[in-house]
Structure formats: structure tokens, C-alpha cells
Amino acid sequence: MQTRLTIKDIARLSGVGKSTVSRVLNNESGVSERTREKVEAVMRQHGFSPSRSARAMRGQSDKVVAIMVTRLDSLSENLAVQTMLPALYEQGYDPIMLESRFSPALVREHLGVLSRRHIDGVILFSFTGVNEALSAAWQDSLVLMARDAPGFASVCFDDEGAIRLLMQRLYEKGHRRISFLGVPHSDITTGKRRHEAYLAFCEQYGLTPRDTLPGLAMKQGFEHAAEVLCDDTTALVCATDTLAIGASKYLQQRGGAPLQLASVGNTPLLKFLHPETIAVDPGYGEAGRAAAKQLIDQITRRADPRQIVIPAHLD
């Protein structure tokens, strides 16, 4: 079986750099005609066929959309992407993947490139501050995930409802000393809304809140869990599965009386590592399908931008 060649292989066989091969593939300037012909001859000789994503980026596909995630390693975003892709493929769209790394400047840069390449539409996993990178030119061909913005289509999660479901389940099980591990309020949805829902439930039922808001990372869950655990704590609610996994590691090392862990996310990794966790599913898979459908409907002029809220449900 012949091994598939890479751009690096083509560069080596052509005697040029990878950047030169990339410019040839993208039909960019800055390459002499002789060099271009040499690279193209090597590609023909070895039957080199760029990936579907590469063809899409060069505009060689008739129907191309982009999916821009905040982090390629995000557990929740990957669950949504997994349902987006089949929905897009089914309608004949070639998706390309990009990463924003929570940078509005990088979002703006990516959108500029996509606009110049005449991409049909974009699904953008949003975050605090990203609105400044959006322009009116994208209103009819962009869907935001997890946050909304005036004039743009969005698919959001019921952050308050997810926390209420967890707290109600814990309360029904007899827990009255429930602590909370969350995300700073600079993150409006995962941070502010989920934390405020916890505080509102505590006030409604006369519970004493114990909370800290370190961030999103597993390491932060591990390092900060001790701040909200007292001798009488019986349950710990985590705003995300990554925090829950970190907190669980701390609890295992700490030992002592068992404590009920609860989390928003219900990702496969959490279910595999800690099946005893009470988890609420925000509807990542449903959100991915809804975002793909909404984008396609906008591209084909079957629907105007609208705001969709996905309900949460307990596992």
C-alpha cells in the first residue's frame, strides 16, 4: 500500500521549502513559473492529492463552511463538532477547522481570510469579547455558539437551568452543604450565569454558599477544590467537566468521607473516569446539529438569523 505523501515530502522531492509548496497549492504569488512547474510535476508524478480541507481552503470546493473552535482540545466543543460534521457533509458542504484560542484579534484575522476566500459561512464558538471582531458583513452567514450578539444567529445553552437541575437533584437527595467550583464572571455564560444560578438556589432554599471561581482548567479544579471544602461539605458542584475531573483527583488524594460530585457537561471522559458523578447534559450534540442546520438555512436563504436555546437535561 502506497503511503500518502505530505507537503513536506513534496517539498523535499522538489528541492524547495514547505512554504513554497503551500504557495503553489494556494495559487499565491511569489513563486517563479519554473519553480511552480517543477512542484506541480512532482505532485502529478506521485499522484499527490491535497486533503479535502486543503481543497476547501483554496476555494476548489463549491460549498465551503468554516468551524472556528476556541480550543481544539475542548471536550464540550468537540462534542458539538461531532454532530455538525455529518449534518454539513449530508448537504454537500466541505468544512474547514480553525482555532481562535480566545483571541478576538485572531477571530478577526481568520474572518478576514475566510472572506477573501469567499467561504459560504462560519460557525463560531463564541467567548467574552469576541463581539468586537464581528462585522455586519457576516450577519447572514455566521452562527455563534454558546453566546449571542445582536443581529447574529446563535445557539446557546441554558446555563442557569443546568445548575438548577443539579442543585435540585442534590437537594432532593438530602444534601444541604453544597459547595461550588466555577469560572470567573468575566466569562458571562459558563462563569457568571452558572455561578449566579448556584447563589440564587442557595438563597431560595436557605443554604450557605461556599464558592470559588478559579477558571476552566483541570489543574485549577485540582488546585482550588480545597478552598470550598469544609468538614460538613457533602456535595461539590462544578461548572464544567474539566473542573470536575481536576476536583475528583484532589478528592481521591485527600481521602476521607466520600463526597458527591456534580458537574455540567456529561462528557464521555467524565463518564468513563467518574461514573458516580451526577451530570447534566447541556445538549452539546443537539446544539451542533442545530447550528449546522441554521447556517445552511441562512446560506440557502431559507431562514433569517435567529437565537436558539438548547435545554439542559440530567443524565
Side-chain angles (χ1 to χ4, degrees):
M1 180 178 179
Q2 184 177 8
T3 303
R4 180 182 176 88
L5 268 67
T6 65
I7 289 179
K8 183 178 179 181
D9 297 323
I10 296 298
R12 176 176 54 80
L13 293 168
S14 305
V16 300
K18 288 191 297 181
S19 61
T20 299
V21 176
S22 179
R23 285 196 290 271
V24 171
L25 286 170
N26 291 318
N27 198 28
E28 296 175 356
S29 60
V31 182
S32 70
E33 191 60 31
R34 182 178 178 181
T35 299
R36 186 181 299 276
E37 290 176 355
K38 180 169 61 174
V39 172
E40 290 176 344
V42 170
M43 288 192 290
R44 287 194 299 271
Q45 178 184 351
H46 293 274
F48 177 75
S49 177
S51 68
R52 192 176 188 184
S53 294
R55 294 197 306 272
M57 239 349 236
R58 293 199 306 277
Q60 294 178 352
S61 172
D62 293 332
K63 300 165 70 175
V64 184
V65 296
I67 301 171
M68 197 184 308
V69 297
T70 60
R71 309 183 316 280
L72 290 171
D73 62 351
S74 169
L75 299 176
S76 58
E77 293 181 15
N78 282 332
L79 289 174
V81 170
Q82 286 173 23
T83 58
M84 287 177 195
L85 295 178
L88 293 170
Y89 290 142
E90 183 180 350
Q91 297 301 316
Y93 287 89
D94 285 337
I96 57 176
M97 295 287 296
L98 300 166
E99 185 183 43
S100 71
R101 288 174 283 179
F102 295 102
S103 168
L106 195 53
V107 170
R108 189 182 299 109
E109 179 182 334
H110 285 331
L111 290 177
V113 172
L114 296 173
S115 179
R116 290 191 293 273
R117 297 188 182 280
H118 306 293
I119 301 300
D120 292 305
V122 179
I123 297 174
L124 170 60
F125 284 82
S126 188
F127 53 92
T128 302
V130 77
N131 289 17
E132 65 189 62
L134 304 177
S135 68
W138 284 100
Q139 283 189 337
D140 294 329
S141 54
L142 186 144
V143 176
L144 292 169
M145 290 288 295
R147 284 171 177 77
D148 53 22
F152 288 85
S154 61
V155 178
C156 297
F157 303 107
D158 183 5
D159 296 286
E160 296 93 340
I163 294 297
R164 284 198 302 270
L165 283 172
L166 286 180
M167 294 293 289
Q168 189 66 48
R169 174 61 62 86
L170 291 171
Y171 192 86
E172 291 170 355
K173 287 181 170 291
H175 294 281
R176 299 295 183 268
R177 298 291 185 268
I178 307 171
S179 297
F180 183 84
L181 195 59
V183 179
H185 282 205
S186 56
D187 183 313
I188 300 300
T189 53
T190 307
K192 186 173 186 288
R193 291 179 184 172
R194 294 183 187 183
H195 181 225
E196 288 182 347
Y198 164 77
L199 295 176
F201 189 95
C202 288
E203 182 177 2
Q204 180 181 355
Y205 287 89
L207 308 181
T208 301
R210 296 189 182 112
D211 46 13
T212 188
L213 312 174
L216 287 164
M218 292 183 193
K219 184 178 180 182
Q220 291 170 314
F222 175 78
E223 293 178 344
H224 293 269
E227 297 173 14
V228 293
L229 301 181
C230 302
D231 291 340
D232 61 349
T233 303
T234 61
L236 174 62
V237 171
C238 297
T240 71
D241 278 4
T242 50
L243 284 171
I245 292 170
S248 181
K249 182 178 179 180
Y250 169 79
L251 293 172
Q252 289 173 346
Q253 292 186 2
R254 184 194 69 163
L259 183 146
Q260 178 63 65
L261 199 62
S263 175
V264 179
N266 199 32
T267 59
L269 181 60
L270 180 70
K271 288 190 290 187
F272 177 75
L273 294 175
H274 308 291
E276 73 284 356
T277 302
I278 296 175
V280 65
D281 183 353
Y284 296 129
E286 184 181 350
R289 284 187 292 269
K293 182 180 186 304
Q294 175 64 29
L295 182 62
I296 293 169
D297 286 348
Q298 287 179 209
I299 292 171
T300 56
R301 302 294 188 269
R302 291 198 298 263
D304 294 325
R306 63 191 181 109
Q307 296 181 347
I308 302 169
V309 178
I310 305 298
H313 60 272
L314 279 166
D315 183 27

